[in-house]
């Protein structure tokens, strides 16, 4: 039995995952209650041991994912969504309680990519891209069945590819990153632009409400996803030239609207794709989308397959 | 002893390469003289056998590179620079004369990338990009020491990444591909634009003369390379986010101007690079640039290391 731990800003999720990718049991820890990484990991370790005892299983490996975690040394530094800004080693903290258990640490996008590969729709695929669309935009690049890490384990930072050189300012200090157009906040910004152009008062400034408006066929909200799909499709057509994947999986809160985003994305993708890849690359929703708890924990557990 | 064969539109180069990457002997065949692929390969086979006999060596493998060659099945179809437009199998044609010798076929950009890895500056590197700047723009992507092929052996078609959505028309049928800005013809087009803006009569419409003008410090020619470097540097900064390479090697006729292109490229690269890669990725000229004959033949021979 593997254990997957997904450390988010609000909650940390702990789950027991069997080798077929079935979530056997799980629990949640409120991340924000803890003042130090050591305190948080103590509670996570306790939760893991309790779950193992209740379910009468042996933990054969622990996979931990967290924003900004580095796969090379298991450290986390300056994670945007955590209280603790100083650098700390997740591997070392977990090792205190599990000295003989394999421990794998990585960022959330890489974990989800491996989750897709081992438990989702990417089983058996050689070459695919995994794109997370949420608060931020991230990704995982799989070539020859292997996740690409690059020299600093920061490959796949595709959210910060610049698509509009003089475009919207990005938190990374530059302008026009794709993240500023197809993330949750990017969607809201586009919606505001469209409302302004149409001299209409925006109905919301929150992403979840915008998504609900689109699902309810609000014209400006639908137009927002049309524009997002246009940006995303063009972007993915360019990305396809680098590694020639067979599949591109979309994951995360923003992808949950489904066809409202998928259709314009596929249209722009096909319009902009180089002839030699035509009709050969599928854009699909991730196979891990059904339950957000499961996806994160499965992804974390899948780190043990690296 | 390996044999490398580089089939170009004007000449095909045949060379004997020892395992350290030393070109022991070589010869040239005029590609354009031959009416069929079979005729050309007959002469190439004869040339290989003659070189082997003269040098008293055994050929342990033959690597063949050609524009549009497909690594998956060794076929070539519709190569822009060859007379023969129909599909033919280089592997099968060479197999007629060398039934028991390993034969490897690939396109020229992939061959040059492997040449860099085995005989050039990329020896021992895990993650690098190789960018060819010539009549066209192509590339090779190496992750975890392996050249990325993708599903159709067409990964690395980075020349057709669109950088200006409403930009210059490209031979691929779309607009604004990076190839239209940093290839030889792209350079000439930029030079013409600059001359027009400055109300100056262009001094040439040929790439080689433009390069010579820049080396002689002609202001408009220098400005041309400044703009090319700006485009190329921004483009490479985006590309770095995908695979996080330690090195980017520039190769081909257009790269031969050296610092005139390299300096503005590095400047734009550093200005546009995401913080997490800063000061860690080197842009350098290929180590195979000294002799164009050697580079192509070494690259072809390096295919045998795949």
């Amino acid at each position: 039995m593997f254990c997957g731990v997904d450390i988010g800003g609000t909650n940390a999720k702990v789950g027991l995952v069997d080798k077929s990718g079935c979530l056997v049991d799980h629990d949640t820890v409120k991340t924000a209650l803890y003042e130090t990484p050591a305190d948080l990991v103590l509670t996570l370790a306790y939760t893991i041991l309790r779950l193992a005892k209740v379910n009468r299983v042996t933990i054969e490996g622990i996979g931990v994912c967290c924003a900004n975690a580095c796969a090379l040394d298991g450290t986390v530094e300056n994670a945007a969504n955590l209280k603790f800004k100083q650098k700390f080693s997740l591997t070392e903290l977990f090792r205190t309680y599990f000295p003989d258990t394999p421990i794998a640490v990585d960022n959330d996008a890489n974990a989800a990519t491996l989750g897709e590969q081992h438990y989702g729709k990417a089983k058996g695929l050689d070459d695919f891209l995994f794109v997370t669309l949420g608060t931020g935009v991230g990704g995982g690049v799989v070539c020859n069945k292997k996740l690409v890490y690059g020299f600093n384990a920061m490959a796949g930072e595709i959210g910060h590819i610049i698509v509009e050189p003089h475009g919207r300012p990005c938190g990374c200090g530059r302008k026009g990153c794709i993240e500023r157009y197809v993330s949750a906040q990017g969607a809201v910004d586009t919606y505001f632009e469209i409302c302004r152009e149409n001299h209409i008062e925006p109905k919301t400034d929150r992403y979840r409400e915008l998504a609900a408006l689109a699902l309810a066929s609000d014209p400006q909200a639908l137009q927002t996803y049309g524009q997002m799909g246009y940006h995303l499709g063009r972007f993915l057509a360019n990305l396809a030239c680098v590694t020639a994947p067979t599949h591109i999986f979309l994951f995360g809160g923003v992808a949950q609207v489904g066809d409202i985003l998928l259709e314009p994305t596929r249209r722009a993708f096909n319009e902009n794709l180089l002839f030699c890849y035509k009709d050969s690359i599928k854009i699909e929703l991730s196979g891990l989308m059904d339950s957000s708890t499961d996806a994160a924990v499965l992804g974390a557990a899948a780190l043990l397959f690296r």
Side-chain angles (χ1 to χ4, degrees), chain A:
Chain A
M1 189 73 68
F2 287 160
C3 178
V5 181
D6 170 51
I7 304 178
T10 311
N11 291 313
K13 295 158 200 155
V14 179
L16 298 183
V17 180
D18 72 14
K19 269 147 203 177
S20 67
C22 186
L23 186 67
V24 174
D25 197 356
H26 68 105
D27 203 350
T28 299
V29 169
K30 295 242 168 275
T31 315
L33 293 179
Y34 299 87
E35 291 301 321
T36 67
D39 282 351
L40 172 63
V41 173
L42 165 60
T43 305
L44 291 172
Y46 179 82
T47 307
I48 295 168
L49 291 165
R50 195 177 49 71
L51 284 174
K53 195 169 178 190
V54 169
N55 290 277
R56 297 181 189 179
V57 296
T58 309
I59 304 291
E60 292 169 60
I62 302 170
V64 188
C65 73
C66 178
N68 271 31
C70 175
L72 295 181
D73 60 4
T75 60
V76 179
E77 188 172 9
N78 210 15
N81 57 352
L82 296 184
K83 260 194 213 173
F84 346 115
K85 297 297 172 196
Q86 78 279 32
K87 189 171 180 173
F88 60 94
S89 169
L90 276 172
T91 309
E92 277 177 26
L93 290 173
F94 274 93
R95 179 84 62 227
T96 316
Y97 307 101
F98 304 95
D100 304 317
T101 309
I103 293 163
V105 171
D106 211 328
N107 69 51
D108 36 359
N110 282 347
T113 305
L114 291 168
E116 193 72 40
Q117 184 176 37
H118 291 281
Y119 302 128
K121 290 184 187 167
K123 273 183 207 169
L125 297 183
D126 287 343
D127 304 288
F128 69 93
L129 298 177
F130 187 86
V131 181
T132 65
L133 305 167
T135 308
V137 171
V141 178
V142 171
C143 299
N144 299 316
K145 293 189 192 292
K146 294 193 88 168
L147 182 59
V148 173
Y149 280 93
F151 76 93
N152 60 351
M154 296 289 275
E157 279 291 339
I158 58 173
H160 294 284
I161 288 179
I162 293 171
V163 293
E164 296 285 350
H166 307 289
R168 299 178 182 166
C170 182
C172 72
R174 305 173 311 155
K175 282 182 176 176
C177 296
I178 185 71
E179 177 166 302
R180 293 295 294 109
Y181 298 88
V182 299
S183 65
Q185 187 58 47
V188 171
D189 292 352
T190 300
Y191 175 65
F192 267 65
E193 280 179 11
I194 289 169
C195 287
R196 202 177 309 127
E197 281 162 17
N198 289 281
H199 309 289
I200 285 170
E201 191 66 25
K203 298 194 180 80
T204 181
D205 61 358
R206 292 168 60 191
Y207 176 75
R208 286 174 65 95
E209 287 175 11
L210 174 62
L213 283 170
L215 291 165
S217 299
D218 176 271
Q220 285 75 41
L222 282 178
Q223 203 184 331
T224 299
Y225 284 95
Q227 277 200 23
M228 285 169 72
Y230 176 69
H231 264 111
L232 184 58
R234 282 197 323 183
F235 169 72
L236 295 176
N238 274 341
L239 211 50
C241 294
V242 185
T243 62
T246 53
H247 292 71
I248 300 173
F249 297 104
L250 306 184
F251 178 78
V254 172
Q256 273 168 347
V257 292
D259 284 341
I260 289 173
L261 178 65
L262 267 178
E263 278 179 16
T265 301
R266 286 186 180 132
R267 196 159 48 238
F269 181 74
N270 289 322
E271 277 170 16
N272 285 279
L273 195 62
L274 186 64
F275 62 89
C276 63
Y277 309 116
K278 284 267 188 204
D279 304 321
S280 303
I281 305 178
K282 290 194 178 71
I283 300 182
E284 292 182 12
L285 290 185
S286 160
L288 305 177
M289 296 277 283
D290 297 336
S291 152
S292 66
T293 311
D294 288 25
V297 169
L298 289 180
L303 291 172
L304 295 155
F305 289 111
R306 281 190 316 208

